[in-house]
């Protein structure tokens, strides 16, 4: 068992979660939309500002600024639990036996549940300066280019890049008031 997470209030976090066994789940909109919908839901249930994100085929990075009363661990627990249920249901509806079986095998292997979508933990880094925040945004927005999914960041649909460059909030609104 690892060390307990230290959670400070009032700070911005760079968060990463990874799909169990690195399954390339987020390659179509039917699996990405539940994530965007959940970002939007949980930003109000456990108030936080969403400053940026990228949804890669097998993991997600995002920058979140929780309200003073919100614990990062609570957001992560609820987000992962709810999205897992939705993603499993989506795989069942689409009759994607590969995903369904992979989730079941991961669940059985863990001994915790019947299905498992996400790796147990999440990774977070405290954002300690505006410069570091900008570095993390740049890192996220360039991730699809580094992974050779696209040539330019604006070509990748599942990131906040276009929110910043083109004021395109068509997928999800990004909180950009930190730029003031």
């Amino acid at each position: 068992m690892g060390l307990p997470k230290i959670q400070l209030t009032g700070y911005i976090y760079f968060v990463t979660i990874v799909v169990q066994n690195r399954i390339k789940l987020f390659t179509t909109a039917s699996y990405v939309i539940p994530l965007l919908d959940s970002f939007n839901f949980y930003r109000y249930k456990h108030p936080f500002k969403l400053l940026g994100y990228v949804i890669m085929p097998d993991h997600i990075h995002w920058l979140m600024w929780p309200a003073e009363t919100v614990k990062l661990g609570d957001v992560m627990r609820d987000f992962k639990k709810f999205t897992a249920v939705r993603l499993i249901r989506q795989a069942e509806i689409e009759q994607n036996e590969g995903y369904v079986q992979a989730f079941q095998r991961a669940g059985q292997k863990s001994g915790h549940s019947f299905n498992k979508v996400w790796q147990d933990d999440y990774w977070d880094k405290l954002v300690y300066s505006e410069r570091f925040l900008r570095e993390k945004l740049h890192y996220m927005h360039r991730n699809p280019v580094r992974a050779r999914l696209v040539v330019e960041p604006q070509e990748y649909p599942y990131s906040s890049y276009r929110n910043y460059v083109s004021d395109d909030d068509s997928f999800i609104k990004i909180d950009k008031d930190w730029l003031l």
Side-chain angles (χ1 to χ4, degrees), residues 159-170:
S159 87
S160 56
Y161 183 83
R162 287 190 310 271
N163 295 81
Y164 280 98
V165 173
S166 308
D167 269 340
D168 180 358
D169 290 336
S170 57

Side-chain angles (χ1 to χ4, degrees), residues 81-121:
K81 182 178 179 181
F82 185 73
T83 56
V85 169
R86 288 195 59 191
L87 295 167
I88 292 163
R89 186 173 58 211
Q90 189 65 38
E92 291 169 347
I93 288 169
E94 292 182 6
Q95 298 178 353
N96 188 321
E97 288 303 312
Y99 289 162
V100 170
Q101 290 174 5
F103 298 151
Q104 288 173 352
R105 280 192 305 272
Q108 291 165 357
K109 186 177 179 182
S110 74
H112 298 304
S113 63
F114 185 71
N115 290 295
K116 188 168 178 59
V117 173
W118 301 108
Q119 289 183 2
D120 284 335
D121 211 349

Side-chain angles (χ1 to χ4, degrees), residues 22 40 48 56 67 69 81 90 92 98 100 109 131 155 157 167:
R22 291 271 187 184
N40 205 43
F48 68 84
M56 297 296 288
T69 58
K81 182 178 179 181
Q90 189 65 38
E92 291 169 347
V100 170
K109 186 177 179 182
R131 180 176 178 213
E155 297 169 5
D167 269 340

Side-chain angles (χ1 to χ4, degrees), residues 7-8 11-15 62-64 66 72 124-126:
Q7 297 179 23
L8 304 173
Y11 288 90
I12 297 169
Y13 288 92
F14 175 71
V15 180
W62 75 92
L63 284 158
M64 63 179 295
L72 179 62
D124 63 281
K125 287 190 178 273
L126 191 66

